[in-house]
C-alpha cells in the first residue's frame, strides 16, 4: 500500500533568504527601528511651537512644513518596516505589536499637525500670495495652492467640531455590509464536477463559473444569489444609508453634488466622468460581437451571466519559474528603455525587492509598497504553474517602478502619486506583456488564451467598472432629489444599466439585478471609475510604445517621475493622454474590437 506525502507550506525561517525581500535599506535591524521610533516620539511635541504662528512669516511656515516632512518620512519608514514584517507571518506577535505602536504614533502625529491646514486656510488672500512668492516656500508652492483650493469647503470651528464628532459613526453602513457579506451570508454546499460536496463561498464562486459544465455553473449562480435574495431588503437599506451619508457630507461641505465632492480632491472636472460613461456606451459594439462569439463557440442559444467566465478552449496555462518570468517581463518592457528594464530586473532578482513565494502565515495576494528613497518592495505568492502569477508580477512591478522614479526625482512631500494615475503604470506593463507573448508564443491555443484574457480584462475593468460608475451616479442623483432608494428602485436602475452596457446581448436573469447589493466599492463612492480611466490611459500609452514612439517613451518616463507634483490630469496629458476628451476611451474600445476580431479569426478559421 502506497502513501503520498502532503506537501506542507514552509515556515518563514525555512524559506531561502534569496527568495525573500531585504528590508535592511529601511532599517538594518529591530534595534535601529526602536531608536527611530523613540526619536520620532521626541520630535512630535515640537509642532506646538508653531501653533497660531504660521501666518507670521514664510520662514515660520517653511520651518513647520520642513518638520512635517521630516516626521512624515520617519513615520512612513517605521510603518513600512513593521507592516512588511507582519506580512511575512501574520501570526508573529512581535511585529504585530510594532505595527500597533506605529498606528498609535501615527494618531499622535495627526493630532499634533491638525492645526496646520486650518491656519494656512485662514491666511488672508493677499498675504497668502506674498507667501507663495517667497523663496522659502517655492518648493511647497503646488501643495500650498492645492490645500488652498479647499478653503470654500472648510467650515467654522464649531461646525468642523460637530463633523469630527460624527466621524466615529460615519461608515456604519459599510461596516454592516462587511459583516453581513463576509461573515453572516451562507451559500450552502454544492456538488462539484468530481462528485465532491463542497461549501460554496465568495472565494470559489468564480471557480464554479469557470467550469465547463453549464449545469454546474447555472446551479452555482442561482444558489449564490439566493443568499442575497434572502437578505435583499437589509442590504438595500444598508446601501441606501451609505448613499445618504455621502449626500450629507457633500451638502455639509457646500459642494453642489456628491460627484463634485468626490472628484474635487484630485481636481477632476465632472466632464471627465461623463465622457467615460458616454464613450463606453457609444462604443459597445465590440462587446456585443464578443458575446455572440461566445454563444457560437459554446453552442448555446442565449448567453447568461454564468456563461461569461468559462474558457472558450480547454488549454492549460504555461508553467514559468520565477526567474523565467522576470526575464520575460524585462524583455516585454524593452520599449520603456534600458534604465527601466535593467533597474527592474536587478531589483526583482539581485536586490531582493520581492518576497517571492508562499509560506505559512504569509499574507495572501500581492501588492507593491515602500518608503521614500528605499526599495519599492513587492509581496508575491508566486506559483510556477499559474500564468496569472507572471502578469501579477508585471502589474506590481509597474507600481514599484512608478514609485522608484517618483522617489528619485521628487522631494518627499511630492513623492506620492494619486490613485487616479496609480493603475496606469501597472496596466501599461500588462499591456506590453500581452503583446510580447502574442509575438513570442506561436501556438494557436496560446494566442486564444492570451487574447481571451485581455478581452475579459477590458470587459471587467473598463466596461463593467464604468457601468458601476454610472450606477453610483444614478443612485446618488436620485437621493439628492429626495427619491427613496428602495430595493425595487435599486434593482430597476441596475437592470437598465445591465441592458445598456451589455448592448442587449446578455439574457438577464432577475437574480443578476442583485449584483448591485454585493459590490464593496459602492460603500466608497465614485472610486471605481478610476479603474476604467486607468486601463484606457494605459492602452493608449502602450499602443504608442509598441509602435516604437521615442517621444512617448520619454514622456512616459517623465510621467512616472512626477509623483504628486501636478494634478493627475496634467500628468496624463504630459504622457500623451487627454482625458478631457473621449478619445482615450474610444481608443481602448477600438482596441477591444481589434482583439475580438483576432479571436474570431482564430476560433472560426
Amino acid at each position: 500500500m502506497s502513501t503520498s506525502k502532503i506537501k506542507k507550506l514552509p515556515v518563514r525561517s525555512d524559506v531561502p533568504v534569496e527568495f525573500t525581500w531585504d528590508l535592511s535599506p529601511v532599517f538594518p535591524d529591530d534595534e535601529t527601528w526602536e531608536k527611530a521610533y523613540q526619536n520620532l516620539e521626541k520630535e512630535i511635541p515640537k509642532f506646538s511651537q508653531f501653533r497660531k504662528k504660521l501666518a507670521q512669516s514664510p520662514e515660520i511656515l517653511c520651518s513647520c512644513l520642513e518638520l512635517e516632512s521630516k516626521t512624515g518620512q520617519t513615520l512612513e519608514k517605521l510603518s513600512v518596516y513593521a507592516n512588511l514584517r507582519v506580512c511575512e507571518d501574520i501570526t508573529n506577535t512581535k511585529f504585530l505589536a510594532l505595527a500597533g505602536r506605529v498606528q498609535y504614533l501615527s494618531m499622535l502625529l495627526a493630532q499634533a499637525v491638525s492645526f496646520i491646514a486650518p491656519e494656512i486656510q485662514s491666511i488672508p488672500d493677499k498675504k497668502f500670495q506674498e507667501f507663495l512668492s517667497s523663496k522659502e516656500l517655492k518648493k511647497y508652492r503646488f501643495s500650498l495652492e492645492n490645500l488652498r483650493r479647499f478653503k470654500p469647503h472648510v467650515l467654522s470651528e464649531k461646525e468642523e467640531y460637530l463633523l469630527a464628532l460624527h466621524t466615529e459613526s460615519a461608515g456604519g453602513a459599510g461596516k454592516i455590509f462587511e459583516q453581513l457579506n463576509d461573515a453572516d451570508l451562507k451559500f450552502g454546499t454544492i456538488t462539484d464536477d468530481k462528485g465532491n460536496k463542497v461549501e460554496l463561498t465568495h472565494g470559489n464562486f468564480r471557480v464554479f463559473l469557470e467550469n465547463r459544465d453549464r449545469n454546474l455553473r447555472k446551479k452555482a449562480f442561482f444558489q449564490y444569489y439566493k443568499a442575497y435574495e434572502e437578505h435583499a431588503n437589509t442590504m438595500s437599506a444598508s446601501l441606501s444609508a451609505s448613499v445618504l451619508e455621502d449626500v450629507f457630507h457633500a451638502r455639509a461641505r457646500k459642494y453642489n453634488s456628491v460627484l463634485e465632492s468626490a472628484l474635487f480632491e484630485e481636481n477632476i472636472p465632472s466632464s471627465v466622468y461623463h465622457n467615460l460613461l458616454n464613450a463606453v456606451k457609444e462604443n459597445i459594439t465590440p462587446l456585443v460581437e464578443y458575446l455572440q462569439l461566445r454563444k457560437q463557440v459554446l453552442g448555446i442559444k442565449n448567453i447568461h451571466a454564468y456563461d461569461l467566465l468559462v474558457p472558450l478552449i480547454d488549454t492549460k496555462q504555461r508553467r514559468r519559474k520565477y526567474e523565467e518570468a522576470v526575464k520575460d517581463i524585462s524583455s516585454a518592457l524593452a520599449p520603456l528603455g534600458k534604465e527601466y528594464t535593467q533597474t527592474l530586473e536587478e531589483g526583482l532578482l539581485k536586490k531582493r525587492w520581492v518576497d517571492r513565494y508562499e509560506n505559512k502565515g504569509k499574507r495572501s495576494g500581492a501588492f507593491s509598497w515602500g518608503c521614500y528613497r528605499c526599495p519599492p518592495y513587492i509581496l508575491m505568492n508566486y506559483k510556477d504553474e499559474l500564468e496569472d502569477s507572471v502578469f501579477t508580477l508585471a502589474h506590481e512591478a509597474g507600481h514599484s517602478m512608478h514609485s522608484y522614479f517618483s522617489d528619485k526625482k521628487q522631494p518627499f512631500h511630492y513623492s506620492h502619486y494619486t490613485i487616479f494615475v496609480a493603475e496606469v503604470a501597472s496596466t501599461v506593463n500588462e499591456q506590453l506583456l500581452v503583446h510580447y507573448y502574442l509575438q513570442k508564443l506561436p501556438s494557436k491555443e496560446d494566442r486564444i488564451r492570451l487574447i481571451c484574457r485581455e478581452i475579459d480584462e477590458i470587459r471587467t475593468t473598463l466596461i463593467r467598472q464604468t457601468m458601476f460608475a454610472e450606477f453610483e451616479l444614478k443612485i446618488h442623483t436620485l437621493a439628492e432629489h429626495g427619491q427613496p432608494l428602495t430595493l425595487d428602485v435599486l434593482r430597476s436602475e441596475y437592470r437598465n444599466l445591465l441592458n445598456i452596457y451589455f448592448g442587449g446581448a446578455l439574457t438577464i436573469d432577475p437574480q443578476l439585478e442583485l449584483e448591485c447589493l454585493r459590490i464593496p466599492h459602492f460603500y466608497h463612492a465614485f472610486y471605481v471609475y478610476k479603474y476604467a480611466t486607468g486601463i484606457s490611459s494605459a492602452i493608449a500609452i502602450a499602443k504608442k510604445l509598441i509602435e516604437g514612439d521615442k517621444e512617448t517613451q520619454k514622456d512616459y518616463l517623465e510621467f512616472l517621475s512626477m509623483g504628486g507634483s501636478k494634478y493627475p490630469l496634467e500628468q496624463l496629458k504630459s504622457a500623451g493622454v487627454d482625458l478631457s476628451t473621449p478619445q482615450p476611451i474610444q481608443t481602448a474600445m477600438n482596441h477591444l474590437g481589434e482583439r475580438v476580431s483576432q479571436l474570431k479569426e482564430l476560433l472560426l478559421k
Side-chain angles (χ1 to χ4, degrees):
M1 185 174 119
S2 64
T3 58
S4 59
K5 290 185 178 179
I6 299 174
K7 188 177 180 181
K8 293 184 178 181
L9 288 174
V11 295
R12 184 69 185 181
S13 58
D14 289 339
V15 178
V17 68
E18 64 269 23
F19 296 162
T20 65
W21 47 33
D22 174 17
L23 300 185
S24 63
V26 187
F27 289 108
D29 49 49
D30 300 346
E31 289 73 25
T32 313
W33 183 95
E34 185 62 42
K35 288 177 184 176
Y37 184 97
Q38 292 174 9
N39 287 337
L40 182 55
E41 276 187 309
K42 295 172 185 174
E43 291 284 300
I44 290 176
K46 292 181 181 179
F47 282 101
S48 61
Q49 66 184 300
F50 298 107
R51 192 178 290 273
K52 296 185 179 178
K53 296 179 182 177
L54 299 186
Q56 289 182 8
S57 72
E59 292 83 2
I60 291 175
L61 177 53
C62 182
S63 295
C64 182
L65 294 176
E66 293 285 350
L67 180 61
E68 185 181 31
S69 182
K70 177 185 174 185
T71 54
Q73 194 171 335
T74 302
L75 181 69
E76 184 180 71
K77 288 183 69 176
L78 290 167
S79 179
V80 166
Y81 182 86
N83 284 288
L84 291 187
R85 288 295 190 204
V86 169
C87 290
E88 295 172 358
D89 181 359
I90 59 174
T91 65
N92 189 314
T93 55
K94 174 184 175 181
F95 294 118
L96 284 168
L98 294 191
R101 290 174 63 199
V102 173
Q103 194 171 5
Y104 172 71
L105 202 60
S106 177
M107 180 192 69
L108 292 181
L109 182 58
Q111 290 175 347
V113 303
S114 62
F115 71 94
I116 296 177
E119 282 197 33
I120 292 173
Q121 299 283 15
S122 66
I123 299 173
D125 291 343
K126 184 179 178 183
K127 192 173 188 179
F128 183 72
Q129 290 305 316
E130 292 172 358
F131 273 38
L132 289 179
S133 300
S134 68
K135 66 179 188 299
E136 291 87 359
L137 294 174
K138 183 179 179 181
K139 66 179 180 179
Y140 291 105
R141 185 182 182 101
F142 175 72
S143 58
L144 288 170
E145 287 178 331
N146 187 37
L147 176 63
R148 192 74 170 189
R149 286 194 310 115
F150 289 84
K151 188 176 180 180
H153 306 291
V154 176
L155 309 179
S156 70
E157 188 175 343
K158 287 184 178 179
E159 289 170 327
E160 288 288 350
Y161 177 71
L162 285 173
L163 280 182
L165 287 179
H166 179 58
T167 301
E168 194 172 349
S169 59
K175 292 172 186 173
I176 291 168
F177 166 78
E178 285 176 8
Q179 290 298 317
L180 180 55
N181 193 55
D182 297 336
D184 294 341
L185 277 192
K186 304 298 178 190
F187 304 100
T189 59
I190 189 168
T191 304
D192 66 16
D193 53 349
K194 295 182 178 65
N196 301 314
K197 276 197 170 185
V198 297
E199 183 182 1
L200 182 61
T201 65
H202 290 303
N204 65 18
F205 178 53
R206 182 185 174 100
V207 176
F208 280 105
L209 294 187
E210 292 174 351
N211 196 285
R212 302 194 71 78
D213 183 339
R214 194 179 192 216
N215 289 328
L216 181 58
R217 299 198 304 269
K218 183 176 179 180
K219 179 172 173 51
F221 175 85
F222 284 107
Q223 186 169 318
Y224 184 78
Y225 275 103
K226 186 174 185 292
Y228 286 97
E229 208 156 18
E230 291 169 347
H231 296 85
N233 288 300
T234 301
M235 299 189 97
S236 64
S238 174
L239 181 56
S240 174
S242 180
V243 171
L244 292 173
E245 181 80 26
D246 296 335
V247 173
F248 164 74
H249 279 284
R251 287 176 175 169
R253 293 210 171 274
K254 304 174 186 176
Y255 290 99
N256 293 318
S257 66
V258 181
L259 178 63
E260 181 189 295
S261 170
L263 302 183
F264 188 84
E265 184 173 354
E266 293 178 309
N267 201 26
I268 308 292
S270 59
S271 58
V272 169
Y273 202 90
H274 291 289
N275 279 341
L276 170 67
L277 307 187
N278 294 332
V280 169
K281 287 184 289 188
E282 290 168 5
N283 294 275
I284 208 71
T285 302
L287 177 62
V288 174
E289 292 176 356
Y290 175 58
L291 295 180
Q292 290 169 343
L293 178 61
R294 287 192 75 88
K295 277 199 299 186
Q296 189 174 351
V297 173
L298 295 174
I300 54 179
K301 184 178 179 181
N302 296 308
I303 189 164
H304 293 251
Y306 47 82
D307 299 316
L308 293 175
L309 297 175
V310 57
L312 292 181
I313 60 169
D314 193 7
T315 177
K316 290 184 178 180
Q317 298 186 33
R318 281 184 175 261
R319 188 181 186 91
R320 291 179 184 86
K321 292 182 178 179
Y322 176 85
E323 292 78 9
E324 292 176 301
V326 172
K327 294 294 183 184
D328 282 352
I329 291 168
S330 182
S331 298
L333 303 184
L336 297 178
K338 283 189 177 180
E339 181 188 1
Y340 189 106
T341 55
Q342 287 179 357
T343 301
L344 180 61
E345 192 169 330
E346 285 183 12
L348 298 188
L349 288 175
K350 298 176 184 176
K351 295 184 179 178
R352 293 172 51 205
W353 288 2
V354 184
D355 206 83
R356 301 184 189 179
Y357 304 114
E358 192 176 10
N359 61 252
K360 190 174 182 181
K362 183 177 174 180
R363 178 179 158 167
S364 61
F367 64 74
S368 168
W369 191 26
C371 48
Y372 190 59
R373 300 289 160 85
C374 291
Y377 296 106
I378 297 173
L379 179 134
M380 286 289 297
N381 284 275
Y382 189 90
K383 290 181 172 57
D384 294 357
E385 68 273 16
L386 294 181
E387 194 169 55
D388 277 353
S389 283
V390 187
F391 281 92
T392 300
L393 181 59
H395 180 101
E396 299 305 337
H399 289 309
S400 286
M401 291 303 291
H402 197 172
S403 299
Y404 171 84
F405 281 107
S406 290
D407 284 5
K408 185 178 178 181
K409 183 164 183 180
Q410 300 297 334
F412 174 72
H413 58 280
Y414 290 145
S415 62
H416 298 92
Y417 44 83
T418 68
I419 297 294
F420 192 88
V421 298
E423 292 304 321
V424 176
S426 54
T427 312
V428 163
N429 281 14
E430 289 194 72
Q431 285 290 310
L432 294 177
L433 186 59
V434 167
H435 175 77
Y436 172 75
Y437 278 143
L438 285 174
Q439 302 300 309
K440 178 185 176 184
L441 301 178
S443 82
K444 178 180 176 180
E445 289 75 18
D446 281 323
R447 293 179 62 77
I448 290 172
R449 186 181 69 255
L450 287 162
I451 291 173
C452 281
R453 185 188 191 283
E454 188 179 6
I455 288 173
D456 285 331
E457 185 73 18
I458 295 172
R459 180 182 69 80
T460 56
T461 307
L462 174 52
I463 301 174
R464 188 170 187 251
Q465 300 297 335
T466 301
M467 181 183 73
F468 286 171
E470 183 157 5
F471 179 70
E472 288 185 312
L473 181 60
K474 291 269 188 188
I475 61 178
H476 280 84
T477 303
L478 288 172
E480 286 167 340
H481 288 85
Q483 170 73 52
L485 297 180
T486 63
L487 175 59
D488 287 344
V489 167
L490 294 174
R491 293 185 71 153
S492 174
E493 292 293 337
Y494 198 71
R495 186 181 186 92
N496 288 339
L497 293 175
L498 285 167
N499 275 315
I500 292 169
Y501 281 87
F502 281 100
L506 184 74
T507 301
I508 300 170
D509 298 294
Q511 288 77 5
L512 190 60
E513 299 165 4
L514 299 172
E515 184 179 53
C516 68
L517 301 181
R518 72 176 187 89
I519 308 301
H521 281 101
F522 290 161
Y523 291 85
H524 306 276
F526 301 107
Y527 177 91
V528 294
Y529 85 99
K530 300 176 189 181
Y531 292 121
T533 55
I535 193 172
S536 300
S537 302
I539 288 171
I541 291 168
K543 272 188 169 296
K544 292 181 182 178
L545 289 169
I546 289 167
E547 291 165 1
D549 188 326
K550 292 298 181 184
E551 195 65 29
T552 296
Q553 182 198 86
K554 181 175 76 70
D555 292 343
Y556 180 64
L557 294 179
E558 181 63 26
F559 160 77
L560 294 181
S561 304
M562 288 180 179
S565 63
K566 291 183 179 180
Y567 293 120
L569 283 189
E570 292 177 41
Q571 293 185 21
L572 284 170
K573 193 173 285 188
S574 71
V577 177
D578 187 0
L579 283 171
S580 67
T581 76
Q583 186 57 51
I585 316 301
Q586 291 168 352
T587 297
M589 294 300 286
N590 290 340
H591 180 66
L592 173 63
E594 291 167 9
R595 289 301 193 219
V596 171
S597 296
Q598 291 167 4
L599 182 63
K600 191 180 297 185
E601 186 178 346
L602 286 165
L603 286 168
L604 304 182
K605 186 166 59 176

